[in-house]
Amino acid sequence: MAVGNRQAMTRAAAKEGEPNGATAVPEEIKKEEMEERGQWSSKMEFVLSVAGEIIGLGNVWRFPYLCYKNGGGAFLIPYLIFLFTCGIPLFFLETALGQYTSQGGVTAWRKICPIFEGIGYASQVIECYLNIYYIIILSWALFYLFSSFTTVLPWASCNNPWNSDLCVDILNSSRLDNRTLPANATSPMIEFWEKRVLGLTDGIHKLGAVRWELALCLLLAWIICYFCIWKGVKSTGKVVYFTATFPYVMLIILLVRGVTLPGATEGIVFYLKPDISRLADPQVWMDAGTQIFFSYAICQGCLTALGSYNKYTNNCYRDCIMLCFLNSATSFIAGFAIFSVLGFMAREQAVPIAEVAESGPGLAFIAYPMAVTMMPVSQLWSCLFFLMLIFLGLDSQFVCVESMVTAVIDMFPGVFRKKGRRELLILAVAVICYLLGLLLVTEGGMYIFQLFDYYAASGTCLLFLAIFEVICVGWVYGANRFYDNIEDMIGFRPWPLIKICWLVFTPGLCLYTPLKYNNSYVYPPWGYVVGWLMALSSMVCIPLYAIFILLKTKGPLKQRLTQLISPAEDLPQPKKYMAGLSELKRKGWSPPAQEVLSITERETHF
């Protein structure tokens, strides 16, 4: 109703502004040409889209490993502390901001506090990097999936053209009797990964040729991604019914298979056995904090974009709490599926579980493929595992692209909200990201991938953005005022602890969470320079935009600051404020426009 009134007022103003309404007709036609922004058809579409975005590869290949490494069940203590003080408050803040403003990841910040619009640009820079490199993992998984359709899995033996003389078939224990292994011996799984899939070179200085098979897998991944989102929320909302639920079917199948294997119990005990003494290690707390930031898609603009397609009265508070617990529960359950299999593998090889436990690509493309070769009907379990990985990564990827496209369209609605323009924009994004992604499927592409993975969307960038987000909403816009807006949307005020987190705990924990990265490969100095440039390219957006907009705005400094920390006048106002103004006006008081803005919208601690 409010949107309709605003459009009617705009049309009326256009008619009044021209003699005899001469230009009103073309304006009207122009308005009609613009397509509606769109909304989710149902709450379930929103919930599944967010679930698809946040529940990804990190739940399967990072959380279980961190849990075992950092004291088993004891790791859940710092993890839950970070979940309640950083994860849920920031997750809710971004989603509610999108729903309140009905804007994407850039214009939402412009509406609420113009001087902090740089937060939106910073998140979009991070999103650009994610769109380029995250999909590379899908190309690897597709390669493994296609390689699984053979009578004998190609990584099960050393009898392949790519295997070296140092390859030792560790699964065939009879061949290893009475024989000493050379110090630099490798397994067929490692050689398949490094020589067959990646064609790995000596370092980043030697990129080599493009791996054409990976390039084709990458192209297929982008084609699938494009057709998932090309019609906006109309297509995305329908696709997620499958892409967000199918990985759970796969996970349950793999979990049931895993816990029925011999040695599964030892693996699960190893995963969860609590070691309280590990809590004294600061690294455990760092790992807990960074895992929350990575796995909840915080500071990437995705949650704001997805929330912006909600109805104004949607209960986003309940949705966010539910989705956060679903995400963490998925990570926890995935640990059983992974460690039951690692326990089986350790028992088959007669080695400690610590020797076979891996995280990241090492788990997905070396340890787990090794485990499936020991199972009966290994091709089936290999296909199911890589299908799960593909669907876990696919919706995270296409929702990320959709969020970036939403931000661009909301910044330039007159250009892109026309028939056929969205599809062309998504196509342009897909083509550019694919061409840039070809660098990452060269023979030295893995080294570039690791630079992207550590620097481009690193914890440092996310923590930096998180601090400014809570400063903007909690202190400049005003936490109480944002609570009033939320109450207007959902009908009640959320738990006060979330507001306290925005004001105190979240910025405090973000400031005192340093990051550490372990990597066996030492990059040349210019490699680290490129990495830090990628990291700074997002963080620098916030101060640079604040300086730019301050210089661009006219008037004395105090007036400029006042103007730049004031929210947009067309944002919905809480009913109680509007009722108060109506009462004052009924009594004959008529304040000037700027005073109305101050009374209804200003509650700042700047």
Side-chain angles (χ1 to χ4, degrees), residues 60 108 210 227 229 242 287 300 320 325 363 391 404 435 450 460 478 550 568 581 588:
V60 172
V210 171
F227 284 108
I229 60 170
F242 180 70
D287 283 345
Q300 296 169 22
C320 289
F325 282 117
L363 170 70
F391 280 100
M404 190 172 79
L435 293 174
Q450 288 178 332
T460 309
L550 267 173
L581 273 178

Side-chain angles (χ1 to χ4, degrees), residues 493-505:
R493 295 175 84 78
W495 196 25
L497 178 62
I498 290 180
K499 182 168 67 177
I500 296 166
C501 288
W502 290 343
L503 292 168
V504 182
F505 295 135

Side-chain angles (χ1 to χ4, degrees), residues 501-536:
C501 288
W502 290 343
L503 292 168
V504 182
F505 295 135
T506 306
L509 281 168
C510 289
L511 281 170
Y512 294 104
T513 307
L515 291 153
K516 187 178 174 184
Y517 180 62
N518 298 315
N519 192 352
S520 56
Y521 173 70
V522 178
Y523 284 83
W526 64 266
Y528 292 107
V529 170
V530 170
W532 276 109
L533 284 174
M534 283 197 287
L536 290 170

Side-chain angles (χ1 to χ4, degrees), residues 407-422:
V408 174
I409 291 173
D410 284 342
M411 286 167 69
F412 308 103
V415 177
F416 292 112
R417 209 179 290 165
K418 304 229 179 120
K419 192 170 177 62
R421 298 282 178 88
R422 164 183 276 276

Side-chain angles (χ1 to χ4, degrees), residues 40 45 48-49 224-230 232-246 391 394-395 398-399:
W40 301 113
E45 289 185 2
L48 289 175
S49 295
I224 295 169
C225 181
Y226 175 78
F227 284 108
C228 285
I229 60 170
W230 71 315
V233 287
K234 292 176 190 171
S235 57
T236 308
K238 303 298 179 284
V239 170
V240 289
Y241 276 101
F242 180 70
T243 59
T245 55
F246 183 74
F391 280 100
L394 179 63
D395 43 15
F398 71 64
V399 170

Side-chain angles (χ1 to χ4, degrees), residues 254-266 337 340-345 347 368 371 374-376:
L254 292 170
L255 174 64
V256 171
R257 179 62 184 136
V259 296
T260 55
L261 290 167
T265 308
E266 290 90 331
S340 58
V341 172
L342 294 180
F344 159 73
M345 189 163 79
R347 179 167 173 167
Y368 209 95
M374 302 175 186
M375 299 180 194

